[in-house]
Structure formats: C-alpha cells, structure tokens
mmCIF file of all heavy atoms in Angstrom:
data_model
loop_
_atom_site.group_PDB
_atom_site.id
_atom_site.type_symbol
_atom_site.label_atom_id
_atom_site.label_comp_id
_atom_site.label_asym_id
_atom_site.label_seq_id
_atom_site.Cartn_x
_atom_site.Cartn_y
_atom_site.Cartn_z
ATOM 1 N N TYR B 1 -34.556 0.792 53.233
ATOM 2 C CA TYR B 1 -35.855 0.899 53.938
ATOM 3 C C TYR B 1 -36.520 2.253 53.685
ATOM 4 O O TYR B 1 -37.756 2.270 53.514
ATOM 5 C CB TYR B 1 -35.645 0.649 55.430
ATOM 6 C CG TYR B 1 -35.052 1.762 56.251
ATOM 7 C CD1 TYR B 1 -35.830 2.569 57.081
ATOM 8 C CD2 TYR B 1 -33.639 2.102 56.161
ATOM 9 C CE1 TYR B 1 -35.286 3.587 57.872
ATOM 10 C CE2 TYR B 1 -33.159 3.096 56.945
ATOM 11 C CZ TYR B 1 -33.922 3.860 57.757
ATOM 12 O OH TYR B 1 -33.380 4.872 58.498
ATOM 13 N N ILE B 2 -35.812 3.357 53.562
ATOM 14 C CA ILE B 2 -36.480 4.650 53.342
ATOM 15 C C ILE B 2 -37.042 4.681 51.920
ATOM 16 O O ILE B 2 -38.145 5.208 51.733
ATOM 17 C CB ILE B 2 -35.513 5.806 53.595
ATOM 18 C CG1 ILE B 2 -35.153 5.888 55.092
ATOM 19 C CG2 ILE B 2 -36.109 7.132 53.130
ATOM 20 C CD1 ILE B 2 -34.118 6.930 55.486
ATOM 21 N N SER B 3 -36.375 4.045 50.945
ATOM 22 C CA SER B 3 -36.937 3.984 49.585
ATOM 23 C C SER B 3 -38.242 3.176 49.601
ATOM 24 O O SER B 3 -39.224 3.502 48.965
ATOM 25 C CB SER B 3 -35.935 3.337 48.609
ATOM 26 O OG SER B 3 -34.667 4.047 48.674
ATOM 27 N N ARG B 4 -38.173 2.024 50.331
ATOM 28 C CA ARG B 4 -39.367 1.126 50.423
ATOM 29 C C ARG B 4 -40.547 1.795 51.163
ATOM 30 O O ARG B 4 -41.701 1.391 50.899
ATOM 31 C CB ARG B 4 -38.999 -0.169 51.125
ATOM 32 C CG ARG B 4 -38.100 -1.134 50.381
ATOM 33 C CD ARG B 4 -38.680 -1.672 49.121
ATOM 34 N NE ARG B 4 -40.128 -1.972 49.189
ATOM 35 C CZ ARG B 4 -40.679 -3.048 49.727
ATOM 36 N NH1 ARG B 4 -39.929 -3.986 50.282
ATOM 37 N NH2 ARG B 4 -41.968 -3.221 49.738
ATOM 38 N N PHE B 5 -40.271 2.751 51.993
ATOM 39 C CA PHE B 5 -41.357 3.405 52.734
ATOM 40 C C PHE B 5 -42.141 4.440 51.919
ATOM 41 O O PHE B 5 -43.133 4.945 52.386
ATOM 42 C CB PHE B 5 -40.767 4.144 53.960
ATOM 43 C CG PHE B 5 -40.323 3.232 55.104
ATOM 44 C CD1 PHE B 5 -39.740 3.782 56.233
ATOM 45 C CD2 PHE B 5 -40.506 1.864 55.049
ATOM 46 C CE1 PHE B 5 -39.349 3.004 57.322
ATOM 47 C CE2 PHE B 5 -40.093 1.030 56.099
ATOM 48 C CZ PHE B 5 -39.513 1.581 57.212
ATOM 49 N N GLN B 6 -41.682 4.748 50.701
ATOM 50 C CA GLN B 6 -42.209 5.895 50.003
ATOM 51 C C GLN B 6 -43.636 5.650 49.409
ATOM 52 O O GLN B 6 -44.443 6.542 49.453
ATOM 53 C CB GLN B 6 -41.274 6.353 48.889
ATOM 54 C CG GLN B 6 -39.957 6.920 49.431
ATOM 55 C CD GLN B 6 -40.166 8.016 50.462
ATOM 56 O OE1 GLN B 6 -40.936 8.952 50.254
ATOM 57 N NE2 GLN B 6 -39.483 7.891 51.591
ATOM 58 N N GLU B 7 -43.871 4.475 48.853
ATOM 59 C CA GLU B 7 -45.139 4.246 48.141
ATOM 60 C C GLU B 7 -46.248 3.953 49.174
ATOM 61 O O GLU B 7 -46.207 2.931 49.865
ATOM 62 C CB GLU B 7 -44.994 3.021 47.228
ATOM 63 C CG GLU B 7 -46.169 2.688 46.372
ATOM 64 C CD GLU B 7 -46.612 3.814 45.489
ATOM 65 O OE1 GLU B 7 -45.758 4.508 44.901
ATOM 66 O OE2 GLU B 7 -47.863 4.047 45.382
ATOM 67 N N PRO B 8 -47.252 4.846 49.303
ATOM 68 C CA PRO B 8 -48.267 4.631 50.309
ATOM 69 C C PRO B 8 -48.971 3.283 50.183
ATOM 70 O O PRO B 8 -49.387 2.890 49.092
ATOM 71 C CB PRO B 8 -49.275 5.787 50.065
ATOM 72 C CG PRO B 8 -48.466 6.875 49.375
ATOM 73 C CD PRO B 8 -47.419 6.100 48.533
ATOM 74 N N GLY B 9 -49.061 2.596 51.278
ATOM 75 C CA GLY B 9 -49.754 1.321 51.317
ATOM 76 C C GLY B 9 -48.939 0.137 50.998
ATOM 77 O O GLY B 9 -49.236 -1.019 51.313
ATOM 78 N N ASP B 10 -47.777 0.321 50.323
ATOM 79 C CA ASP B 10 -46.944 -0.777 49.845
ATOM 80 C C ASP B 10 -46.299 -1.541 51.007
ATOM 81 O O ASP B 10 -46.531 -2.741 51.204
ATOM 82 C CB ASP B 10 -45.845 -0.189 48.918
ATOM 83 C CG ASP B 10 -44.994 -1.309 48.295
ATOM 84 O OD1 ASP B 10 -45.523 -2.460 48.084
ATOM 85 O OD2 ASP B 10 -43.832 -1.067 48.022
ATOM 86 N N ILE B 11 -45.503 -0.827 51.785
ATOM 87 C CA ILE B 11 -44.824 -1.489 52.899
ATOM 88 C C ILE B 11 -45.843 -1.891 53.997
ATOM 89 O O ILE B 11 -45.654 -2.876 54.688
ATOM 90 C CB ILE B 11 -43.655 -0.643 53.457
ATOM 91 C CG1 ILE B 11 -42.656 -1.505 54.273
ATOM 92 C CG2 ILE B 11 -44.158 0.510 54.297
ATOM 93 C CD1 ILE B 11 -41.754 -2.358 53.472
ATOM 94 N N GLU B 12 -46.905 -1.096 54.108
ATOM 95 C CA GLU B 12 -47.923 -1.425 55.080
ATOM 96 C C GLU B 12 -48.519 -2.784 54.823
ATOM 97 O O GLU B 12 -48.778 -3.552 55.769
ATOM 98 C CB GLU B 12 -49.080 -0.412 55.085
ATOM 99 C CG GLU B 12 -48.771 0.927 55.693
ATOM 100 C CD GLU B 12 -48.319 1.979 54.693
ATOM 101 O OE1 GLU B 12 -47.634 1.577 53.660
ATOM 102 O OE2 GLU B 12 -48.532 3.152 54.868
ATOM 103 N N ALA B 13 -48.728 -3.136 53.560
ATOM 104 C CA ALA B 13 -49.279 -4.464 53.217
ATOM 105 C C ALA B 13 -48.340 -5.568 53.618
ATOM 106 O O ALA B 13 -48.729 -6.627 54.104
ATOM 107 C CB ALA B 13 -49.596 -4.519 51.710
ATOM 108 N N GLU B 14 -47.026 -5.344 53.407
ATOM 109 C CA GLU B 14 -46.047 -6.355 53.842
ATOM 110 C C GLU B 14 -45.985 -6.436 55.368
ATOM 111 O O GLU B 14 -45.850 -7.586 55.861
ATOM 112 C CB GLU B 14 -44.672 -5.985 53.256
ATOM 113 C CG GLU B 14 -44.600 -6.151 51.721
ATOM 114 C CD GLU B 14 -43.174 -6.182 51.242
ATOM 115 O OE1 GLU B 14 -42.234 -6.458 52.034
ATOM 116 O OE2 GLU B 14 -42.968 -5.895 50.016
ATOM 117 N N PHE B 15 -46.044 -5.335 56.035
ATOM 118 C CA PHE B 15 -46.070 -5.374 57.484
ATOM 119 C C PHE B 15 -47.240 -6.137 57.993
ATOM 120 O O PHE B 15 -47.165 -6.871 59.024
ATOM 121 C CB PHE B 15 -46.078 -3.932 58.091
ATOM 122 C CG PHE B 15 -44.646 -3.239 57.983
ATOM 123 C CD1 PHE B 15 -44.555 -1.899 58.378
ATOM 124 C CD2 PHE B 15 -43.548 -3.916 57.511
ATOM 125 C CE1 PHE B 15 -43.333 -1.279 58.273
ATOM 126 C CE2 PHE B 15 -42.312 -3.261 57.467
ATOM 127 C CZ PHE B 15 -42.209 -1.936 57.831
ATOM 128 N N ALA B 16 -48.387 -5.966 57.327
ATOM 129 C CA ALA B 16 -49.640 -6.646 57.762
ATOM 130 C C ALA B 16 -49.472 -8.137 57.662
ATOM 131 O O ALA B 16 -49.937 -8.905 58.506
ATOM 132 C CB ALA B 16 -50.818 -6.172 56.917
ATOM 133 N N GLN B 17 -48.737 -8.611 56.625
ATOM 134 C CA GLN B 17 -48.515 -10.043 56.479
ATOM 135 C C GLN B 17 -47.638 -10.611 57.565
ATOM 136 O O GLN B 17 -47.786 -11.695 58.080
ATOM 137 C CB GLN B 17 -47.884 -10.320 55.070
ATOM 138 C CG GLN B 17 -48.860 -10.235 53.976
ATOM 139 C CD GLN B 17 -48.222 -10.595 52.627
ATOM 140 O OE1 GLN B 17 -47.152 -10.167 52.311
ATOM 141 N NE2 GLN B 17 -48.923 -11.382 51.805
ATOM 142 N N SER B 18 -46.614 -9.774 57.955
ATOM 143 C CA SER B 18 -45.697 -10.219 59.040
ATOM 144 C C SER B 18 -46.327 -10.164 60.363
ATOM 145 O O SER B 18 -46.033 -10.976 61.287
ATOM 146 C CB SER B 18 -44.464 -9.356 59.052
ATOM 147 O OG SER B 18 -43.734 -9.431 57.855
ATOM 148 N N GLY B 19 -47.260 -9.198 60.577
ATOM 149 C CA GLY B 19 -47.892 -8.997 61.871
ATOM 150 C C GLY B 19 -47.223 -7.870 62.642
ATOM 151 O O GLY B 19 -45.981 -7.737 62.598
ATOM 152 N N THR B 20 -48.079 -7.084 63.298
ATOM 153 C CA THR B 20 -47.607 -5.875 64.004
ATOM 154 C C THR B 20 -46.480 -6.154 64.972
ATOM 155 O O THR B 20 -45.419 -5.490 64.976
ATOM 156 C CB THR B 20 -48.776 -5.211 64.737
ATOM 157 O OG1 THR B 20 -49.737 -4.892 63.777
ATOM 158 C CG2 THR B 20 -48.313 -3.905 65.417
ATOM 159 N N GLU B 21 -46.697 -7.130 65.845
ATOM 160 C CA GLU B 21 -45.714 -7.419 66.906
ATOM 161 C C GLU B 21 -44.385 -7.861 66.320
ATOM 162 O O GLU B 21 -43.329 -7.389 66.762
ATOM 163 C CB GLU B 21 -46.234 -8.495 67.856
ATOM 164 C CG GLU B 21 -45.384 -8.684 69.062
ATOM 165 C CD GLU B 21 -45.946 -9.759 70.042
ATOM 166 O OE1 GLU B 21 -47.158 -9.954 70.083
ATOM 167 O OE2 GLU B 21 -45.123 -10.350 70.720
ATOM 168 N N ARG B 22 -44.419 -8.682 65.344
ATOM 169 C CA ARG B 22 -43.187 -9.144 64.685
ATOM 170 C C ARG B 22 -42.379 -7.986 64.040
ATOM 171 O O ARG B 22 -41.171 -7.867 64.200
ATOM 172 C CB ARG B 22 -43.443 -10.222 63.654
ATOM 173 C CG ARG B 22 -42.155 -10.705 63.062
ATOM 174 C CD ARG B 22 -42.228 -11.960 62.242
ATOM 175 N NE ARG B 22 -40.874 -12.362 61.942
ATOM 176 C CZ ARG B 22 -40.169 -13.271 62.642
ATOM 177 N NH1 ARG B 22 -40.762 -13.876 63.675
ATOM 178 N NH2 ARG B 22 -38.937 -13.576 62.364
ATOM 179 N N VAL B 23 -43.097 -7.105 63.358
ATOM 180 C CA VAL B 23 -42.427 -5.953 62.698
ATOM 181 C C VAL B 23 -41.742 -5.099 63.780
ATOM 182 O O VAL B 23 -40.600 -4.704 63.606
ATOM 183 C CB VAL B 23 -43.466 -5.140 61.915
ATOM 184 C CG1 VAL B 23 -42.863 -3.809 61.446
ATOM 185 C CG2 VAL B 23 -43.957 -5.940 60.680
ATOM 186 N N LEU B 24 -42.484 -4.805 64.879
ATOM 187 C CA LEU B 24 -41.885 -4.029 65.929
ATOM 188 C C LEU B 24 -40.659 -4.670 66.504
ATOM 189 O O LEU B 24 -39.614 -4.024 66.752
ATOM 190 C CB LEU B 24 -42.937 -3.741 66.986
ATOM 191 C CG LEU B 24 -44.011 -2.756 66.578
ATOM 192 C CD1 LEU B 24 -45.179 -2.834 67.476
ATOM 193 C CD2 LEU B 24 -43.475 -1.322 66.455
ATOM 194 N N LYS B 25 -40.748 -5.983 66.776
ATOM 195 C CA LYS B 25 -39.565 -6.714 67.325
ATOM 196 C C LYS B 25 -38.404 -6.683 66.353
ATOM 197 O O LYS B 25 -37.222 -6.556 66.768
ATOM 198 C CB LYS B 25 -39.966 -8.120 67.658
ATOM 199 C CG LYS B 25 -40.759 -8.269 68.920
ATOM 200 C CD LYS B 25 -41.121 -9.784 69.161
ATOM 201 C CE LYS B 25 -41.861 -9.915 70.514
ATOM 202 N NZ LYS B 25 -42.257 -11.320 70.717
ATOM 203 N N GLU B 26 -38.695 -6.804 65.046
ATOM 204 C CA GLU B 26 -37.567 -6.769 64.035
ATOM 205 C C GLU B 26 -36.865 -5.395 64.097
ATOM 206 O O GLU B 26 -35.623 -5.332 64.036
ATOM 207 C CB GLU B 26 -38.132 -6.963 62.624
ATOM 208 C CG GLU B 26 -38.620 -8.395 62.375
ATOM 209 C CD GLU B 26 -37.534 -9.342 61.956
ATOM 210 O OE1 GLU B 26 -36.338 -9.035 62.186
ATOM 211 O OE2 GLU B 26 -37.835 -10.399 61.403
ATOM 212 N N PHE B 27 -37.624 -4.280 64.161
ATOM 213 C CA PHE B 27 -37.041 -2.986 64.258
ATOM 214 C C PHE B 27 -36.252 -2.777 65.548
ATOM 215 O O PHE B 27 -35.101 -2.360 65.592
ATOM 216 C CB PHE B 27 -38.079 -1.871 64.150
ATOM 217 C CG PHE B 27 -38.482 -1.524 62.759
ATOM 218 C CD1 PHE B 27 -39.789 -1.719 62.277
ATOM 219 C CD2 PHE B 27 -37.531 -0.981 61.845
ATOM 220 C CE1 PHE B 27 -40.139 -1.394 60.985
ATOM 221 C CE2 PHE B 27 -37.888 -0.695 60.536
ATOM 222 C CZ PHE B 27 -39.210 -0.896 60.116
ATOM 223 N N LEU B 28 -36.921 -3.139 66.683
ATOM 224 C CA LEU B 28 -36.359 -2.830 67.987
ATOM 225 C C LEU B 28 -35.104 -3.631 68.274
ATOM 226 O O LEU B 28 -34.238 -3.253 69.027
ATOM 227 C CB LEU B 28 -37.374 -3.054 69.077
ATOM 228 C CG LEU B 28 -38.528 -2.032 69.120
ATOM 229 C CD1 LEU B 28 -39.647 -2.463 69.988
ATOM 230 C CD2 LEU B 28 -38.035 -0.653 69.525
ATOM 231 N N THR B 29 -35.013 -4.848 67.627
ATOM 232 C CA THR B 29 -33.817 -5.687 67.878
ATOM 233 C C THR B 29 -32.742 -5.575 66.766
ATOM 234 O O THR B 29 -31.720 -6.279 66.804
ATOM 235 C CB THR B 29 -34.222 -7.200 68.021
ATOM 236 O OG1 THR B 29 -34.827 -7.599 66.772
ATOM 237 C CG2 THR B 29 -35.190 -7.390 69.154
ATOM 238 N N TYR B 30 -32.916 -4.647 65.810
ATOM 239 C CA TYR B 30 -31.968 -4.499 64.709
ATOM 240 C C TYR B 30 -30.644 -3.941 65.221
ATOM 241 O O TYR B 30 -30.638 -2.899 65.831
ATOM 242 C CB TYR B 30 -32.581 -3.579 63.651
ATOM 243 C CG TYR B 30 -31.751 -3.503 62.409
ATOM 244 C CD1 TYR B 30 -31.818 -4.470 61.405
ATOM 245 C CD2 TYR B 30 -30.848 -2.401 62.182
ATOM 246 C CE1 TYR B 30 -31.078 -4.375 60.250
ATOM 247 C CE2 TYR B 30 -30.129 -2.345 61.037
ATOM 248 C CZ TYR B 30 -30.212 -3.347 60.062
ATOM 249 O OH TYR B 30 -29.470 -3.253 58.931
ATOM 250 N N ARG B 31 -29.578 -4.694 65.020
ATOM 251 C CA ARG B 31 -28.282 -4.229 65.553
ATOM 252 C C ARG B 31 -27.198 -4.316 64.484
ATOM 253 O O ARG B 31 -25.992 -4.172 64.809
ATOM 254 C CB ARG B 31 -27.877 -5.148 66.717
ATOM 255 C CG ARG B 31 -28.572 -4.755 68.022
ATOM 256 C CD ARG B 31 -28.093 -5.664 69.113
ATOM 257 N NE ARG B 31 -26.726 -5.319 69.609
ATOM 258 C CZ ARG B 31 -26.447 -4.263 70.377
ATOM 259 N NH1 ARG B 31 -27.387 -3.475 70.720
ATOM 260 N NH2 ARG B 31 -25.235 -4.084 70.762
ATOM 261 N N ASN B 32 -27.560 -4.452 63.258
ATOM 262 C CA ASN B 32 -26.555 -4.454 62.207
ATOM 263 C C ASN B 32 -26.132 -3.019 61.938
ATOM 264 O O ASN B 32 -26.962 -2.178 61.569
ATOM 265 C CB ASN B 32 -27.195 -5.097 60.951
ATOM 266 C CG ASN B 32 -26.254 -5.124 59.751
ATOM 267 O OD1 ASN B 32 -25.212 -4.554 59.819
ATOM 268 N ND2 ASN B 32 -26.676 -5.801 58.714
ATOM 269 N N PRO B 33 -24.855 -2.700 62.017
ATOM 270 C CA PRO B 33 -24.419 -1.325 61.710
ATOM 271 C C PRO B 33 -24.542 -0.899 60.291
ATOM 272 O O PRO B 33 -24.470 0.260 59.989
ATOM 273 C CB PRO B 33 -22.936 -1.277 62.198
ATOM 274 C CG PRO B 33 -22.495 -2.716 62.289
ATOM 275 C CD PRO B 33 -23.710 -3.551 62.508
ATOM 276 N N GLY B 34 -24.749 -1.891 59.394
ATOM 277 C CA GLY B 34 -24.944 -1.580 58.005
ATOM 278 C C GLY B 34 -26.318 -1.077 57.730
ATOM 279 O O GLY B 34 -27.193 -1.094 58.582
ATOM 280 N N PRO B 35 -26.577 -0.605 56.491
ATOM 281 C CA PRO B 35 -27.885 -0.104 56.115
ATOM 282 C C PRO B 35 -28.983 -1.155 56.201
ATOM 283 O O PRO B 35 -28.719 -2.354 56.022
ATOM 284 C CB PRO B 35 -27.688 0.438 54.726
ATOM 285 C CG PRO B 35 -26.433 -0.128 54.182
ATOM 286 C CD PRO B 35 -25.625 -0.511 55.378
ATOM 287 N N LEU B 36 -30.198 -0.726 56.450
ATOM 288 C CA LEU B 36 -31.334 -1.635 56.527
ATOM 289 C C LEU B 36 -31.994 -1.735 55.205
ATOM 290 O O LEU B 36 -32.486 -0.731 54.610
ATOM 291 C CB LEU B 36 -32.319 -1.123 57.595
ATOM 292 C CG LEU B 36 -33.655 -1.824 57.720
ATOM 293 C CD1 LEU B 36 -33.512 -3.288 58.021
ATOM 294 C CD2 LEU B 36 -34.510 -1.152 58.815
ATOM 295 N N TYR B 37 -31.999 -2.956 54.652
ATOM 296 C CA TYR B 37 -32.680 -3.212 53.381
ATOM 297 C C TYR B 37 -33.922 -4.067 53.626
ATOM 298 O O TYR B 37 -33.929 -4.985 54.426
ATOM 299 C CB TYR B 37 -31.756 -3.959 52.403
ATOM 300 C CG TYR B 37 -30.545 -3.081 51.966
ATOM 301 C CD1 TYR B 37 -29.288 -3.290 52.450
ATOM 302 C CD2 TYR B 37 -30.798 -2.057 51.022
ATOM 303 C CE1 TYR B 37 -28.229 -2.479 52.041
ATOM 304 C CE2 TYR B 37 -29.715 -1.253 50.604
ATOM 305 C CZ TYR B 37 -28.435 -1.446 51.087
ATOM 306 O OH TYR B 37 -27.417 -0.686 50.699
ATOM 307 N N LEU B 38 -35.001 -3.736 52.888
ATOM 308 C CA LEU B 38 -36.245 -4.508 53.016
ATOM 309 C C LEU B 38 -36.701 -4.861 51.613
ATOM 310 O O LEU B 38 -37.657 -4.262 51.066
ATOM 311 C CB LEU B 38 -37.331 -3.643 53.719
ATOM 312 C CG LEU B 38 -37.053 -3.228 55.127
ATOM 313 C CD1 LEU B 38 -38.129 -2.242 55.638
ATOM 314 C CD2 LEU B 38 -36.979 -4.464 56.074
ATOM 315 N N PRO B 39 -36.055 -5.845 50.968
ATOM 316 C CA PRO B 39 -36.426 -6.202 49.586
ATOM 317 C C PRO B 39 -37.882 -6.641 49.491
ATOM 318 O O PRO B 39 -38.381 -7.280 50.422
ATOM 319 C CB PRO B 39 -35.483 -7.420 49.252
ATOM 320 C CG PRO B 39 -34.392 -7.372 50.294
ATOM 321 C CD PRO B 39 -34.954 -6.709 51.508
#
C-alpha cells in the first residue's frame, strides 16, 4: 500500500472508482495482521 500511494493521482483515481465511503470502510475494518497490498 505505501508503494502504491507514491504516484500522485494514481491511487486517488482508484479510490474515486470505489467511492469515498467504501474506501474508508475498507481501511477501518482491515484486520489482517499481514501486510496490506493494493494491486
């Protein structure tokens, strides 16, 4: 996720497709102890 966050506008465009509320719920409910990947 931190690698994916680097390119300005890139992940923002994907978040826009998912919708703000959904993105926030995905983050806030994330409970996997492993690393977060966002292919």
